Amino acid sequence: MKRRNTPQKQAILDLFDTYSCAYNQEAIEKQLHGKMDRATIYRILKRFCEDGILHKVLGDDGVAYYAKCKSCEHQNHHHNHFHFQCEKCNELTCLKEEVNLNLPEGYEMKDYNCVITGICPKCKKTII
């Protein structure tokens, strides 16, 4: 379904176009410098997930993160990849490699959420 674009929606999309990692709602609020209230941001994120623009990932810290979809459409919204969350900087990144899971007979997969934790390359450089 084609929806009307608003300045608020565009501001959030612009954030995701300039940042390669996933954002949580608090980070989005900080980036927007109080130009939008929390409820508006939440509604836009929810709608973007429904429309296949973003996907939601539950991080290892229990916080919902949002990442821009690369090849999803409303009818074909899939995310067969894992995510990596750095234990040092807490950034959550979509890993590009696709993962295929085989479930036992009778099970039907709708969605899955897998987060691998460790140290990202950027933080690993600062440790050495």
Side-chain angles (χ1 to χ4, degrees), residues 55-121:
H55 66 280
K56 182 170 133 179
V57 180
L58 185 62
D60 189 52
D61 53 3
V63 175
Y65 289 81
Y66 299 87
K68 192 162 186 185
C69 296
K70 304 293 186 214
S71 60
C72 292
E73 300 169 5
H74 179 64
Q75 297 84 5
N76 189 18
H77 196 71
H78 66 284
H79 302 285
N80 52 344
H81 61 270
F82 288 154
H83 301 85
F84 185 91
Q85 188 165 25
C86 181
E87 294 173 344
K88 187 168 174 134
C89 68
N90 213 34
E91 282 190 353
L92 191 133
T93 307
C94 295
L95 300 177
K96 293 179 177 143
E97 294 77 20
E98 288 191 11
V99 178
N100 294 311
L101 299 174
N102 294 317
L103 295 175
E105 191 174 326
Y107 289 87
E108 181 180 331
M109 181 173 14
K110 180 181 175 201
D111 196 11
Y112 61 89
N113 185 60
C114 183
V115 177
I116 300 167
T117 59
I119 304 296
C120 72

Side-chain angles (χ1 to χ4, degrees), residues 4-48:
R4 180 175 63 95
N5 197 15
T6 64
Q8 292 88 351
K9 288 179 185 177
Q10 192 58 53
I12 291 175
L13 277 178
D14 290 345
L15 281 177
F16 285 97
D17 286 339
T18 59
Y19 194 63
S20 62
C21 294
Y23 273 116
N24 63 36
Q25 184 160 343
E26 182 181 334
I28 293 169
E29 290 173 24
K30 285 180 185 175
Q31 289 291 320
L32 295 174
H33 309 289
K35 295 176 185 172
M36 233 180 283
D37 65 76
R38 179 173 283 234
T40 300
I41 293 170
Y42 176 78
R43 280 192 304 273
I44 291 171
L45 293 173
K46 186 174 187 276
R47 182 64 49 90
F48 282 169

Side-chain angles (χ1 to χ4, degrees), residues 84 86 119-127:
F84 185 91
C86 181
I119 304 296
C120 72
K122 181 176 65 176
C123 289
K124 193 171 183 178
K125 287 180 186 178
T126 63
I127 293 172

